[in-house]
Amino acid sequence: MILFLAPGACSLAGHIALHEAGLPFDRIKVDLKAHRTEDGRDYFEINPKGYVPALMLDDGGLLTENVAILTWVGDQTPALKPEGNMGRYRLLEALAYISTEIHKAFKPFFQPGARGDDRTAAAAVIGKRLDLLARSMREDWLFGRTFSVADPYLFVMLTWAKKNDLSLPEPLPAFFERMMARPAVRLALDHEGSA
Ligand SMILES: N[C@@H](CCC(=O)N[C@@H](CS)C(=O)NCC(=O)O)C(=O)O
């Protein structure tokens, strides 16, 4: 299994989740500007979408999209999913919210030509959406005492918020520190060279 990633990008979520799951995998870094892999291949030929993450499975199939990759990792390791009949749907609900409502809202921060106004507006939207998650957190993780594959995705959003000087609503600063203390997170950051 090979994870195609870019250091510090959203692919860090799957990277952490794979370590949390204890699954064996290799990593290949992708230069997202040149669309080339670190071993010199045209990334479009591997993943026509051109973006990370992409997970090449052992049967050669390519799985893309954070929501699909994180759900797949959760299905390999049920301990990384919320429990109960509704657990699977609650997980998808959280992943979809992070992907479509928070991750995508960061776009102006990654567009070199974006106007200051656009970033200010995006910061307000991100703040509101993080606040909604923060208000629902009762224990250590998004799903209470159960650490799930949604937590690394939220963690990546918080790394971006911090890099862009956006403040984190309570109790997300403590959540961030708890994530930083996890060996899987340290390992992934170390591998990506962004520790
Ligand atoms: N819909 C995709 C979006 C992934 C995405 O936004 N990837 C960014 C890095 S965080 C990327 O590779 N951008 C470079 C590009 O689009 O060419 C997903 O959720 O997996």
Side-chain angles (χ1 to χ4, degrees), residues 9-10 32 35 50-53 65-66 99 103-104 153 160:
C10 51
L32 290 173
H35 290 101
Y51 49 69
V52 292
E65 303 298 326
N66 284 292
S99 174
H103 178 169
K104 284 297 147 188
Y153 202 4
W160 293 355

Side-chain angles (χ1 to χ4, degrees), residues 34-63:
H35 290 101
R36 295 204 85 77
T37 59
E38 62 182 328
D39 53 2
R41 287 180 285 162
D42 178 352
Y43 185 55
F44 281 119
E45 286 187 4
I46 298 165
N47 177 9
K49 289 178 173 171
Y51 49 69
V52 292
L55 186 63
M56 186 157 289
L57 301 170
D58 288 341
D59 66 1
L62 192 75
L63 190 62

Side-chain angles (χ1 to χ4, degrees), residues 85-106:
N85 290 341
M86 289 298 288
R88 181 175 173 74
Y89 307 104
R90 292 296 173 207
L91 179 61
L92 281 170
E93 185 179 40
L95 293 174
Y97 182 74
I98 297 170
S99 174
T100 61
E101 305 298 332
I102 304 179
H103 178 169
K104 284 297 147 188
F106 273 97

Side-chain angles (χ1 to χ4, degrees), residues 72-180:
W72 183 86
V73 175
D75 284 345
Q76 309 311 301
T77 314
L80 293 175
K81 286 196 294 198
E83 289 170 355
N85 290 341
M86 289 298 288
R88 181 175 173 74
Y89 307 104
R90 292 296 173 207
L91 179 61
L92 281 170
E93 185 179 40
L95 293 174
Y97 182 74
I98 297 170
S99 174
T100 61
E101 305 298 332
I102 304 179
H103 178 169
K104 284 297 147 188
F106 273 97
K107 206 168 178 186
F109 290 98
F110 295 116
Q111 279 174 329
R115 294 178 317 155
D117 284 0
D118 292 337
R119 290 186 186 181
T120 307
V125 168
I126 292 162
K128 266 192 211 156
R129 291 175 180 170
L130 286 178
D131 196 47
L132 192 130
L133 280 187
R135 276 188 281 124
S136 74
M137 277 179 87
R138 300 275 173 268
E139 306 255 2
D140 285 1
W141 312 113
L142 270 173
F143 292 105
R145 289 184 197 161
T146 306
F147 181 88
S148 80
V149 291
D151 292 301
Y153 202 4
L154 174 59
F155 170 73
V156 175
M157 298 301 105
L158 301 190
T159 64
W160 293 355
K162 284 167 82 78
K163 275 180 200 155
N164 289 291
D165 295 323
L166 309 186
S167 60
L168 305 186
E170 295 295 341
L172 296 184
F175 167 85
F176 183 87
E177 294 308 324
R178 271 193 295 280
M179 285 296 297
M180 286 296 285

